[in-house]
Amino acid sequence: MDVSIKNITDLQEEIARMRVIELRQGEELAKRFNSPSAIFASLMSLLNSGNRGDSGDHPGIFNQDFFGLLSRIVLPVTLNKTLFKRSNFLVKTLVGLVSQKASNYISGDAIHGLWDKVKSVVHSVITSKPETSPKKSMPNVPPPVVM
């Protein structure tokens, strides 16, 4: 917006125009947060992963799905409380930074794919077990002949 202000009346008109824009934006914002369901819908639209836009390979925090956002918190806390429990501040900071980068690659699709691979491996192990020897049963003897 290239606005040329040359005198005091132009400045006053621009201030009035900006106030009108501010009121309209305030009304729109109030509409989005007027009920709990509207607030929930607004939050879900922020967290929606189907709309990545120009983010490419490195999505922002609000362009991730639920698993990506959850991993941003759970992954560093879990690692710092278990594996790096007695580590110093620098190691815990590095773990946090690395897990933040790793959370960009964690998504619902990645977890679903991993789960499918685990299921197929377990299924192949279960089905490829050598069968135990068949139970010994009575030999096939014909019935006696009555004369």
Side-chain angles (χ1 to χ4, degrees), residues 18-91:
M18 295 295 276
R19 285 188 178 149
V20 169
I21 291 172
E22 179 185 15
L23 286 174
R24 286 183 187 160
Q25 289 177 346
E27 290 170 358
E28 290 294 321
L29 191 60
K31 285 180 188 175
R32 289 197 67 135
F33 294 105
N34 63 356
S35 69
S37 62
I39 293 171
F40 183 72
S42 297
L43 288 175
M44 290 309 292
S45 69
L46 285 175
L47 301 177
N48 189 7
S49 67
N51 191 1
R52 295 212 175 186
D54 297 333
S55 59
D57 291 337
H58 303 290
I61 187 168
F62 291 119
N63 290 335
Q64 290 182 328
D65 64 351
F66 177 71
F67 292 109
L69 289 173
L70 187 65
S71 69
R72 280 187 175 270
I73 298 167
V74 173
L75 193 61
V77 169
T78 303
L79 289 174
N80 284 333
K81 293 290 182 184
T82 56
L83 295 177
F84 302 105
K85 190 173 189 175
R86 301 190 199 288
S87 298
N88 61 10
F89 175 74
L90 291 175
V91 171

Side-chain angles (χ1 to χ4, degrees), residues 6-19:
K6 297 178 182 167
N7 56 24
I8 190 75
T9 56
D10 290 343
L11 181 61
Q12 289 172 345
E13 287 174 2
E14 184 64 25
I15 290 172
R17 189 182 68 80
M18 295 295 276
R19 285 188 178 149

Side-chain angles (χ1 to χ4, degrees), residues 104-122:
N104 289 333
Y105 301 104
I106 297 173
S107 67
D109 295 335
I111 291 175
H112 184 67
L114 180 66
W115 179 249
D116 285 343
K117 286 179 184 177
V118 168
K119 282 193 328 188
S120 67
V121 166
V122 168

